[in-house]
């Protein structure tokens, strides 16, 4: 009860002090506002809302553990979230409002590549730090912006590992059906194809579908006529689940591989477990119950309890950003000097609260590009759920060098 | 050959959905001259509501669909009465803006009531029939049959009942209809009620065949308008032919030309038809 | 013309906007003001076809996209200076509009809105899928701003850019005013009243409609080009259907046909959704409801309401 009161008082003080210039309150317990710009409505809200939820949850975890400690003060995190609909203009507006009006210096969220790229294009000139979650477009970290970090690895890092895996399993003619109008999915397929070619295989078809398409039978019928050895499905969970269902309905009996990162609930909403049986998912070891550590399981439990539904597998990217930010602020010893905090982020080892399993480069969570890397894994649908089968060998350090060379 | 037949079959199911959306749009457009842009969002609402009634309220699926259709009828009447009637005398642009406002409101309500995850209506129909290498999922067959039944009953209603004749009279000549004693205040209400009910059916079909997700409403209404142009404004046979043509064109375009540009090809066909037959495939010159 | 005080209001607004950087410190408002001025250019164009000729066109954002990608790609591939590509953008857009409008405008009637909607979707599909040219959904970053640290003006400074957009918006408003006052404007309004009559007295109505459509596109092309160089980032998402609907809203909410209408409407569509951020999840619902109520209770837009009030107060005094 007492703590709730203090919290409320702190929030109130923050609310009053905020518009008047922020950090002049003299109490030992202070409020640090962090901002979220994410798709809370519209088509991309499927990814944006869980991210915003995960950020709120992480902030409460930190507050319950005594807040962010700088000098003698401890700062309670106060999350202020704006909807950007996944749209670049709206994201620019939301971030401008966060920086200029809400006087926020730390901005998280960003499930969509377009919105993240638009903000990334001006963030270097601002007195702020941007922590990107789920947006997977490679170019966001390829420019090495000093005050930007991202937890989700670029798609081609995972695609290369996936191509080697499928090649090793001896498939020679692989048909691809993917959301290829989305840049990072196309990158995944490019990297996949390169590794598959090395193993003597080739991609015989590259069919595409849009974000809103749910009827993929025309593409699948075309692929069926080509008699491929295997099918690779690359895209968001919602359409991908329909591809798996419709491929069975069309009587296609070939191994199916995917890059979708969907949870069991998401697939079972669309397809039966029999229709999913044997499907592979080749992706970062995101939050699924099979691959999760103790921290991951706890996160899954807390989120489910709090929001009445399980977290989407990719939402912890944003969760981990909050914890990384906390440690970086404490290491830098300042909440005001964003340059110092941005530098501290790049010196950080993966924090113990992190849900994803990061592969540190030279002992650091974020490399010099500001990019983090997680392990990649091969998962297979067996008897109603995803089973973690094996790790996909992936070289974070080599990819980090490659990413820096794109500059 | 098998591929061609399969592709045409693939296109028929989605074509049936387009027909139902377009039927609602075309009666509203033909009689009231309103480009009812919110029709797609309302269809989405109907699909989500059905799913909610079946899953959370525990109704049997058919009862849930019937209940959602009834709600749809009332919603349609309310939309006409509260939103469109006040701007009836003004320019048709004003009605269009009202339609946009309605779209936003319904989209916002959908998000509040049913959440952001895609909604799929589970039917439990997962058998697949196979005839000579061509596969037809059971569910698709039922959707095509249901669409056909709805189209037939709509046609009968308009052709054979007194209300239907009154609707046609207003569509053809409003002033003459008034002189003949048709109640022109009631007709728009009935038209909106029926077209929204049809929209709800389309939403249920999309929700059971595919899924209802944020943004699907806009996709549905755009396709519905494309059918309108293809078939001819205000023409019921036009909506039927146009919907089927659009569905099959998309499937063939994706299967034989390019899946990335299938929508573009469908629109190109639409614009080509418009140039050669400005009144649409079935419209009167 | 019919409403003199509009010019006074416009002049006052222009002075106010030029002084804006001095009045407010928050870059946030300055940023929104620049966006609203860009939308003013697009909405002045939309007003020609929608307000004067009475044809709803749902492709204004698509044309902004052609202008934005036009100026960006010309700059990237031919190393042309920013000023030149910005100047070329409206002409490039006009060419596309000519090709699109020639067939579709010969068809009379209400199909036009839906055909233009299809054009917007086609533009969106091409921008998204022609990745070798447009970089697809990932978009193009690092689009240069005009001027530079060594030039006369440094447009990376927001206040300077605000002045640039203000001048452009003013010039385009002036151009729209000239068109509206000319014989072309009169003919367009006659088409809105009764298109058959216009045809009957031997005026080829479709030529005038085509002119309005192409001119509207050129306005949009310029707006898109300014947007691209201001934001330094573009992707297809910015030029979708929802933004075309905003252009229509700007005209009708501000007041169709009036010269100040698009200007007021543009500020409305940029600022109101931002203001409604406090409503959070109910933002869409409130915005939609506001639109419906506004259309029912003030069908002639904000300018219409203002001129009614003005007329009433004048009558009161006399």
């Amino acid at each position: 009860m007492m703590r709730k009161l203090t919290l409320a008082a702190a929030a109130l003080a923050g609310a009053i002090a905020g518009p008047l210039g922020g950090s002049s309150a003299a109490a030992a317990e202070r409020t640090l506002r962090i901002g979220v710009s994410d798709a809370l409505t519209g088509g991309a809200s499927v990814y944006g809302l869980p991210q915003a939820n995960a950020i709120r949850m992480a902030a409460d975890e930190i507050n319950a553990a005594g807040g962010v400690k700088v000098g003698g003060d401890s700062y309670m995190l106060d999350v202020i979230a704006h909807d950007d609909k996944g749209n670049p203009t709206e994201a620019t507006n939301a971030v401008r409002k966060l920086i200029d009006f809400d006087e926020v210096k730390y901005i998280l969220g960003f499930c969509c590549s377009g919105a993240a790229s638009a903000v990334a294009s001006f963030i270097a000139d601002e007195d702020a730090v941007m922590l990107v979650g789920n947006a997977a477009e490679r170019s966001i970290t390829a420019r090495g912006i000093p005050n930007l970090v991202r937890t989700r690895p670029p798609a081609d890092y995972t695609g290369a590992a996936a191509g080697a895996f499928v090649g090793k399993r001896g498939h020679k003619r692989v048909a691809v059906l993917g959301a290829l109008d989305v840049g990072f999915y196309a990158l995944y397929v490019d990297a996949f194809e390169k590794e598959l070619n090395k193993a003597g295989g080739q991609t015989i078809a590259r069919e595409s579908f849009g974000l809103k398409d749910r009827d993929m039978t025309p593409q699948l019928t075309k692929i069926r006529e080509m008699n491929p050895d295997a099918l690779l499905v690359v895209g968001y969970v919602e359409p991908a689940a329909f591809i798996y269902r419709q491929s069975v309905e069309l009587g296609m009996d070939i191994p199916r591989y995917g890059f979708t990162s969907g949870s069991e609930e998401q697939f079972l909403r669309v397809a039966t477990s029999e229709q999913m049986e044997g499907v592979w998912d080749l992706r970062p070891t995101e939050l699924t119950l099979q691959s999760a550590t103790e921290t991951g399981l706890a996160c899954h439990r807390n989120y489910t309890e709090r929001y009445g539904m399980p977290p989407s597998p990719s939402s912890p990217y944003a969760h981990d950003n909050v914890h990384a930010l906390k440690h970086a602020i404490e290491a830098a010893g300042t909440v005001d000097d964003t340059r110092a905090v941005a530098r501290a982020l790049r010196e950080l080892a993966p924090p113990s609260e992190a849900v994803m399993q990061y592969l540190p480069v030279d002992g650091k969570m974020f490399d010099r590009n500001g990019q983090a890397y997680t392990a990649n894994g091969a998962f297979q649908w067996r008897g109603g759920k995803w089973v973690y089968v094996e790790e996909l060998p992936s070289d974070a350090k080599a990819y980090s060098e490659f990413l820096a060379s794109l500059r | 050959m098998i591929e061609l037949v399969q592709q045409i079959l693939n296109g028929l199911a989605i074509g049936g959905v387009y027909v139902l959306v377009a039927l609602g749009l075309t009666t509203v457009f033909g009689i009231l001259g309103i480009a009812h842009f919110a029709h797609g969002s309302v269809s989405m609402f109907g699909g989500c509501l059905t799913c909610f009634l079946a899953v959370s309220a525990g109704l049997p699926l058919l009862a849930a669909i019937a209940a959602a259709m009834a709600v749809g009828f009332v919603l349609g009447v309310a939309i006409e009465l509260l939103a469109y009637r006040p701007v009836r005398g003004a320019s048709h642009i004003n009605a269009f803006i009202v339609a946009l406002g309605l779209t936003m409101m319904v989209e916002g309500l959908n998000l509040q009531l049913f959440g952001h995850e895609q909604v799929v209506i589970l039917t439990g129909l997962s058998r697949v029939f196979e005839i000579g290498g061509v596969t037809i999922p059971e569910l698709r067959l039922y959707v095509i049959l249901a669409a056909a039944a709805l189209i037939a009953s709509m046609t009968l209603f308009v052709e054979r009942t007194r209300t239907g004749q009154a609707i046609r009279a207003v569509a053809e000549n409003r002033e003459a209809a008034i002189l003949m004693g048709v109640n022109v205040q009631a007709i728009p209400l009935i038209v909106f009620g029926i077209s929204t009910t049809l929209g709800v059916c389309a939403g249920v079909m999309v929700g059971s065949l595919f899924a209802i997700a944020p943004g699907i409403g806009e996709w549905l209404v755009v396709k519905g308008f494309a059918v309108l142009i293809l078939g001819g404004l205000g023409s019921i046979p036009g909506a039927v032919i146009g919907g089927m043509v659009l569905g099959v064109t998309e499937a063939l375009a994706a299967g034989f030309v390019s899946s990335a540009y299938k929508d573009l090809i469908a629109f190109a066909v639409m614009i080509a038809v418009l140039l050669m037959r400005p009144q649409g495939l079935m419209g009167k010159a | 013309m019919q409403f003199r005080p509009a010019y006074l209001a416009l002049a006052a607004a222009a002075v106010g906007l030029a002084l804006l950087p001095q009045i407010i410190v928050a870059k946030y408002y300055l940023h929104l003001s620049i966006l609203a001025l860009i939308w003013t250019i697009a909405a002045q164009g939309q007003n020609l076809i929608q307000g004067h000729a009475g044809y709803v066109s749902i492709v204004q954002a698509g044309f902004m996209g052609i202008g934005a990608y036009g100026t960006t790609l010309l700059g990237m591939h031919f190393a042309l200076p920013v000023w030149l590509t910005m100047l070329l953008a409206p002409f490039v857009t006009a060419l596309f509009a000519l090709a699109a409008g020639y067939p579709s405008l010969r068809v009379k009637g209400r199909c036009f809105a839906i055909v233009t909607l299809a054009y917007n979707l086609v533009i969106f599909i091409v921008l998204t899928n022609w990745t070798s040219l447009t970089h697809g959904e990932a978009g193009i970053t690092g689009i240069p701003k005009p001027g530079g640290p060594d030039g006369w003006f440094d447009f990376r400074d927001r206040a300077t850019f605000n002045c640039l957009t203000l001048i452009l918006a003013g010039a385009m408003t002036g151009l729209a005013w000239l068109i509206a006052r000319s014989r072309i404007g009169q003919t367009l309004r006659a088409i809105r009243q009764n298109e058959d009559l216009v045809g009957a007295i031997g005026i080829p109505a479709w030529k005038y409609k085509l002119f309005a459509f192409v001119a509207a596109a050129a306005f949009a092309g310029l707006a898109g080009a300014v947007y691209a160089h201001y934001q330094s980032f573009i992707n297809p998402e910015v030029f979708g259907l929802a933004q075309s609907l905003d252009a229509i809203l700007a005209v009708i909410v501000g007041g169709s046909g009036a010269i100040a209408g698009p200007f007021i409407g543009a500020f409305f569509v940029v600022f109101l959704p931002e203001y409604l951020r406090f409503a959070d999840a109910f933002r869409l619902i409130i915005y939609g409801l506001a639109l419906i109520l506004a259309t029912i209770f003030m069908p002639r837009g904000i300018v219409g309401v203002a001129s009614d009030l003005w007329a009433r107060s004048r009558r009161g005094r006399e």
Side-chain angles (χ1 to χ4, degrees), chain A residues 5 14 16 29 43 52 75 93 104 117 175 231 236 239 249 259 273 283 310 334 337 346 359 365 382 405:
Chain A
L5 270 180
I16 297 168
E29 194 172 285
Y75 287 83
N93 296 357
V104 163
S117 301
L231 176 68
Y236 298 110
E249 288 174 350
F259 172 54
S273 182
R283 58 176 171 82
T334 168
D337 185 351
R346 276 172 163 67
L359 297 179
M365 177 172 179
R382 292 176 186 167
S405 74

Side-chain angles (χ1 to χ4, degrees), chain A residues 253-271:
Chain A
D253 187 22
I254 49 173
R256 295 169 293 171
Y257 297 87
F259 172 54
T260 58
S261 303
S263 65
E264 283 88 355
E265 295 84 357
Q266 284 170 312
F267 279 106
L268 286 177
R269 211 170 284 148
V270 174

Side-chain angles (χ1 to χ4, degrees), chain B residues 229-232 245 267-282:
Chain B
I229 291 201
L230 262 178
V245 167
F267 286 129
V269 170
M270 179 191 95
I271 290 167
V273 166
L274 192 65
L275 289 180
M276 284 180 282
R277 267 186 78 85
Q279 72 275 30
L281 291 173
M282 302 296 287

Side-chain angles (χ1 to χ4, degrees), chain A residues 113 132-144 148-162 182-192 234 259 261 282-286 317 358-359 361 365-367 369-377 392 394-404 406:
Chain A
S113 295
V132 181
N134 189 40
E137 172 59 35
R138 184 173 70 192
S139 63
I140 293 170
T141 44
R143 274 171 293 149
L148 180 152
V149 296
R150 171 168 63 180
T151 31
R152 179 179 182 156
D156 51 342
Y157 162 73
T158 309
V182 178
F184 64 88
Y185 284 129
L187 281 178
Y188 181 98
V189 175
D190 288 343
F192 174 94
V234 177
F259 172 54
S261 303
L282 311 175
R283 58 176 171 82
T285 50
E286 292 170 348
Y317 286 126
Y358 295 97
L359 297 179
V361 175
M365 177 172 179
F366 298 104
D367 69 359
N369 309 300
Q371 180 65 57
Y373 303 92
T374 64
N376 292 313
L392 297 176
S394 22
D395 191 341
K397 194 166 164 59
Y399 188 87
S400 171
E401 298 294 329
F402 163 70
L403 190 61
L406 294 175

